[in-house]
Amino acid sequence: MKFKSLLAKPFASIVHNKIKKEMLRAVEDQDAILQELIKTGKKTEFGTEHKFNAVQTHEEFKQAVPLRDYEQFKPYIERIKEGKQNVLWKGQPIYLAKTSGTTSGVKYIPISKESVSNHIDTARNALLNYMGETGNTAFADGKMIFLSGSPELERVGGIPTGRLSGIVNHHIPRYLRTNQLPSYETNCIDDWETKLDKIVEETINQDMTLISGIPPWVQMYFDRLMERTSGKRIKEIFKNFDVMVYGGVNFEPYRAKLMASIGAPIHTVETFPASEGFFAFQDSQDKEGLLLNTNSGIFYEFIPAAEIFNENPTRLSLKDVQTGVNYAMVVNNNAGLWGYNLGDTVKFISTNPYRLLVTGRIKHFISAFGEHVIGEEVEYSLMKAAAEENVHITEFTVAPMVQTNGELPYHEWFVEFENMPENLGAFARKVDENMRQKNIYYDDLLTGNILQPLKIRTVRKQGFIDYMKAIGKLGGQNKVPRLSNDRKLADELSAYLQK
């Protein structure tokens, strides 16, 4: 055993045991965090406006603090960008995380002196917990790659500002710097394909042991490596590679192709980070779901997804959630987000401990006819059919087709196949039947002859990559929406269909 892996072993054991203890007091920790947030929030503009002096309980908090999305939060953020102090949290943020919103354009999310540890420590703890659970510390001695955005920061209102992954890059511990790839200079390259070629050059002859990133961009990295090595699998190129860390999208649509590219079994660690906080991570190789991060400066609220557009939706604290229900997640944190509707939906699969699945985005759905189809349902339906037919999917998205020249409307699926089904029509019927079983409203619409069965359009090879390149969103933290309730993405993708 080498030096770093030897040092990691006792530290990993401490963190693993700490996390196991925190599982048992999740509700108590949440209650304590709410009280601490209110105590500090009283001294801010926001706290004064919302009469935090009179708030003590969660019930009182819900009455005082309305739900907001980014657009409704924007006036406070603008004051922070102008250099104002004590707006949402004491003092000024130490960073602004810059992120591309699907409806709000560029968003600026505050990160405070108190909240930055949530991002840094949780990422560290996810790996140390993995080490503590499995006993595998050997990867700490090899090279690690984090496919991320540029670490270069600009200043907005005097505050360092950039992509979250770039901000986090500045906080990687010194003892890991010698293990980290790619180089700082390569990480600063904006053009994804140029950057990817440089990453391949810098890593292809290294002892890579851990690879981290959003699955579609990890797959692009693997594809380039395989091109450069005449088709060698990743495990042949990096013999000691045995841990992949991922997040940002559901892994299942990418699993088959990624694992085929790797060519041998490895461990994976799923995470749920965002600019607004690092919310959950996979704490067990044997159990499904992600452990909610309940003791890290964030107080969570959960709204039944069916109520999210109601004027006064139910707002539950952690102790009242139930398994099997889709919830919209709301965060209150020690950077000054209050009643912030994150836009993500989650479903608890356990409340002892609190483990969840990320099921989609509030704004990514189809309900053109009242069916309210969500990401979890389309992913399940396609992946089940793909597994039965031994078909690998590269990428896909779904949109409603309303204008049909006299035909019944339908859901239009744009799918890029790694290998085509033997019979595309039969494959589409399987996907449609899975959808009918998964969503009773969709089934009713087909039974009532309001919709016709879904149709699959085959996107050409590399079509999604070329589309993302064309709109300036190739690589980094960018993702293809699984669902759209309009035709914008679908119409743009029509230019990338297989001839």
Side-chain angles (χ1 to χ4, degrees):
M1 188 178 287
K2 295 183 181 177
F3 182 65
K4 288 180 182 175
S5 55
L6 186 65
L7 282 180
K9 205 156 188 131
F11 196 23
S13 179
I14 291 167
V15 169
H16 182 55
N17 289 329
K18 178 175 178 285
I19 289 168
K20 286 200 292 186
K21 288 175 184 174
E22 287 178 349
M23 289 179 186
L24 305 175
R25 59 169 199 262
V27 169
E28 292 84 351
D29 285 341
Q30 282 289 281
D31 289 343
I33 286 169
L34 178 60
Q35 294 304 316
E36 284 298 315
L37 294 178
I38 292 169
K39 181 179 175 183
T40 300
K42 288 177 183 178
K43 302 164 188 172
T44 66
E45 283 184 28
F46 187 94
T48 302
E49 285 177 20
H50 293 81
K51 299 181 172 57
F52 275 19
N53 279 329
V55 173
Q56 292 183 330
T57 66
H58 182 223
E59 287 302 316
E60 292 168 343
F61 181 81
K62 288 189 290 184
Q63 294 300 314
V65 178
L67 297 173
R68 287 180 170 89
D69 60 16
Y70 185 80
E71 277 303 307
Q72 294 162 311
F73 240 91
K74 204 170 180 180
Y76 296 103
I77 303 295
E78 290 303 313
R79 293 212 289 280
I80 290 170
K81 287 165 64 179
E82 290 166 6
K84 299 287 191 340
Q85 302 260 346
N86 304 314
V87 178
L88 292 168
W89 193 251
K90 62 183 179 183
Q92 275 190 315
I94 59 171
Y95 296 107
L96 291 172
K98 186 177 178 181
T99 181
S100 299
T102 52
T103 58
S104 304
V106 176
K107 299 193 293 185
Y108 295 88
I109 304 298
I111 296 176
S112 68
K113 181 175 64 177
E114 290 78 17
S115 75
V116 71
S117 62
N118 161 261
H119 298 279
I120 310 307
D121 292 354
T122 309
R124 178 202 67 191
N125 289 351
L127 284 178
L128 288 169
N129 180 77
Y130 163 78
M131 291 177 173
E133 185 207 6
T134 64
N136 177 17
T137 60
F139 70 87
D141 294 315
K143 297 291 185 182
M144 307 179 197
I145 187 169
F146 302 91
L147 297 173
S148 64
S150 171
E152 287 191 314
L153 304 179
E154 58 182 328
R155 285 193 173 265
V156 174
I159 302 167
T161 301
R163 302 289 179 186
L164 176 67
S165 56
I167 291 169
V168 169
N169 192 279
H170 290 271
H171 291 265
I172 290 174
R174 188 174 298 171
Y175 63 86
L176 284 182
R177 286 284 179 194
T178 54
N179 298 57
Q180 182 196 4
L181 288 169
S183 65
Y184 186 89
E185 293 72 25
T186 294
N187 240 348
C188 290
I189 297 171
D190 283 327
D191 180 73
W192 172 247
E193 292 196 286
T194 305
K195 181 174 182 172
L196 193 55
D197 285 334
K198 286 291 291 180
I199 290 172
V200 169
E201 282 177 29
E202 289 184 5
T203 58
I204 197 165
N205 295 313
Q206 297 291 333
D207 179 23
M208 303 302 303
T209 54
L210 179 144
I211 296 170
S212 173
I214 291 178
W217 311 128
V218 172
Q219 184 64 61
M220 276 191 75
Y221 170 57
F222 287 172
D223 290 345
R224 292 288 171 92
L225 285 166
M226 292 165 71
E227 285 170 18
R228 286 281 296 272
T229 57
S230 304
K232 281 187 178 179
R233 294 291 182 257
I234 304 306
K235 258 296 208 179
E236 296 177 87
I237 302 167
F238 305 135
K239 291 181 172 50
N240 295 315
F241 167 48
D242 60 3
V243 186
M244 184 164 72
V245 182
Y246 65 90
V249 295
N250 183 3
F251 188 58
E252 290 310 310
Y254 306 98
R255 181 186 294 277
K257 188 178 179 187
L258 278 164
M259 291 305 162
S261 299
I262 293 166
I266 62 163
H267 280 160
T268 59
V269 179
E270 184 178 359
T271 60
F272 181 16
S275 297
E276 295 86 352
F278 203 133
F279 305 121
F281 60 87
Q282 181 183 344
D283 68 302
S284 172
Q285 291 294 303
D286 302 319
K287 296 181 177 66
E288 188 184 13
L290 309 182
L291 182 71
L292 187 65
N293 192 12
T294 54
N295 189 27
S296 188
I298 302 169
F299 177 77
Y300 302 95
E301 296 176 278
F302 301 92
I303 297 171
E307 297 184 30
I308 190 60
F309 298 112
N310 294 359
E311 189 174 339
N312 292 300
T314 304
R315 289 167 68 175
L316 304 173
S317 63
L318 189 63
K319 71 179 189 309
D320 295 317
V321 298
Q322 298 177 355
T323 58
V325 178
N326 264 307
Y327 293 108
M329 197 157 90
V330 172
V331 298
N332 308 273
N333 75 358
N334 53 2
L337 296 181
W338 303 100
Y340 186 90
N341 179 5
L342 190 66
D344 286 302
T345 58
V346 300
K347 179 168 66 178
F348 285 92
I349 55 174
S350 165
T351 55
N352 183 26
Y354 288 94
R355 289 200 183 97
L356 54 78
L357 303 174
V358 182
T359 54
R361 296 279 297 166
I362 289 293
K363 292 174 181 173
H364 294 172
F365 66 92
I366 299 176
S367 201
F369 307 93
E371 62 273 45
H372 208 86
V373 169
I374 62 173
E376 179 189 31
E377 294 165 346
V378 298
E379 287 174 342
Y380 167 85
S381 300
L382 184 61
M383 289 307 110
K384 185 172 187 288
E388 290 169 1
E389 298 286 324
N390 196 27
V391 168
H392 293 174
I393 308 296
T394 301
E395 190 62 272
F396 76 98
T397 190
V398 188
M401 172 58 86
V402 180
Q403 305 297 329
T404 56
N405 297 321
E407 287 185 66
L408 288 177
Y410 54 89
H411 287 183
E412 190 171 29
W413 293 54
F414 292 79
V415 183
E416 182 180 333
F417 292 96
E418 174 71 11
N419 60 303
M420 287 291 294
E422 287 186 18
N423 184 321
L424 184 60
F427 182 81
R429 287 191 289 275
K430 275 195 172 185
V431 177
D432 198 68
E433 184 56 36
N434 293 340
M435 276 297 307
R436 297 183 74 161
Q437 292 176 13
K438 198 73 175 166
N439 185 307
I440 59 171
Y441 305 109
Y442 180 76
D443 183 53
D444 287 345
L445 291 168
L446 268 77
T447 302
N449 289 319
I450 295 167
L451 289 181
Q452 63 174 303
L454 63 85
K455 296 186 180 183
I456 293 178
R457 309 296 183 207
T458 306
V459 176
R460 63 172 169 77
K461 294 284 186 183
Q462 301 284 302
F464 277 97
I465 286 173
D466 289 343
Y467 167 70
M468 294 295 276
K469 189 194 304 182
I471 63 170
K473 289 194 172 183
L474 186 65
Q477 307 302 299
N478 299 307
K479 295 156 275 193
V480 175
R482 281 283 174 255
L483 293 151
S484 306
N485 204 37
D486 58 39
R487 294 286 307 170
K488 183 176 184 297
L489 174 57
D491 290 343
E492 290 174 349
L493 275 173
S494 296
Y496 299 88
L497 294 179
Q498 191 167 289
K499 303 297 185 190

